[in-house]
Amino acid sequence: MARSELAMALLVVVLAAGCCAPAAAVAYLSKLPVTLDVTASPSPGQVLHAGEDVITVTWALNASQPAGKDADYKNVKVSLCYAPVSQKEREWRKTHDDLKKDKTCQFKVTQQAYPGTGKVEYRVALDIPTATYYVRAYALDASGTQVAYGQTAPASAFNVVSITGVTTSIKVAAGVFSAFSVASLAFFFFIEKRKKNN
């Protein structure tokens, strides 16, 4: 009897602690102030190759913001974001106002302490899919919640061409093996037909 009462009391305490715990802050893009000026080195429409080309990204507090506006900014997170043209008919890339559900900015360029102004050179990763991108930077508070952002205009988006992994030598080998398999099939078919006739 005492064990069940102890278990029940423990269960009540755990549930009460879970209910009273502060919920994680939810950030909505539409409610975040645009306080960062972000620039990226590619020109609009420029084609970059994954694993080869480098993007230089810079960010700074917008000059029109009052001094101390960035006092709560502890980190900055910079990401590559799918441009609207690369989101069409692709639910896994869709923009969502709730940033925990947003799938626009899936590729992290960097996350570092907020220095006021910053610059990073990023070699386009090999696993970046072929698409059109722009750059967005989030200012994060001490808890890691987005509190402000800035981005290059989607109109100044650039293209990334990923590595397909299919080289000329692989194409030649596939062609040779395909021809060999068809020739083998024809040869054995002929042999079987000949045996049947004898």
Side-chain angles (χ1 to χ4, degrees), residues 152-173:
T152 60
S156 63
F158 52 90
N159 300 306
V160 172
V161 177
S162 65
I163 294 178
T164 62
V166 180
T167 62
T168 304
S169 59
I170 291 176
K171 290 178 183 177
V172 169

Side-chain angles (χ1 to χ4, degrees), residues 83-180:
V85 69
S86 290
Q87 294 180 25
K88 289 180 184 169
E89 299 180 13
R90 293 178 175 98
E91 291 298 320
W92 60 92
R93 296 179 178 179
K94 289 291 184 187
T95 299
H96 197 283
D97 194 37
D98 181 352
L99 293 178
K100 290 190 183 286
K101 298 178 183 177
D102 184 43
K103 298 176 183 166
T104 307
C105 303
Q106 298 180 20
F107 305 102
K108 185 167 82 169
V109 171
T110 188
Q111 182 170 337
Q112 54 186 277
Y114 178 76
T117 61
K119 177 180 177 179
V120 67
E121 290 191 358
Y122 170 73
R123 181 173 305 279
V124 180
L126 293 172
D127 62 346
I128 301 293
T130 298
T132 303
Y133 295 92
Y134 62 96
V135 177
R136 182 181 291 167
Y138 289 109
L140 309 176
D141 64 10
S143 70
T145 303
Q146 298 94 336
V147 292
Y149 79 103
Q151 65 187 22
T152 60
S156 63
F158 52 90
N159 300 306
V160 172
V161 177
S162 65
I163 294 178
T164 62
V166 180
T167 62
T168 304
S169 59
I170 291 176
K171 290 178 183 177
V172 169
V176 168
F177 285 123
S178 296
F180 177 73

Side-chain angles (χ1 to χ4, degrees), residues 179-194:
F180 177 73
S181 66
V182 170
S184 298
L185 180 65
F187 174 75
F188 287 112
F189 180 73
F190 176 73
I191 295 294
E192 286 296 318
K193 192 169 186 176
R194 190 170 177 194

Side-chain angles (χ1 to χ4, degrees), residues 18-116:
C19 292
C20 297
V26 176
Y28 294 95
L29 185 64
S30 61
K31 295 181 181 176
L32 292 181
V34 181
T35 61
L36 299 177
D37 287 332
V38 180
T39 60
S41 59
S43 56
Q46 182 178 348
V47 177
L48 304 176
H49 295 88
E52 297 175 13
D53 293 319
V54 175
I55 301 171
T56 302
V57 180
T58 58
W59 64 89
L61 185 66
N62 187 304
S64 65
Q65 299 298 318
K69 175 73 176 179
D70 58 353
D72 291 337
Y73 302 174
K74 301 303 180 199
N75 290 298
V76 64
K77 179 181 177 185
V78 181
S79 302
L80 288 181
C81 305
Y82 289 111
V85 69
S86 290
Q87 294 180 25
K88 289 180 184 169
E89 299 180 13
R90 293 178 175 98
E91 291 298 320
W92 60 92
R93 296 179 178 179
K94 289 291 184 187
T95 299
H96 197 283
D97 194 37
D98 181 352
L99 293 178
K100 290 190 183 286
K101 298 178 183 177
D102 184 43
K103 298 176 183 166
T104 307
C105 303
Q106 298 180 20
F107 305 102
K108 185 167 82 169
V109 171
T110 188
Q111 182 170 337
Q112 54 186 277
Y114 178 76

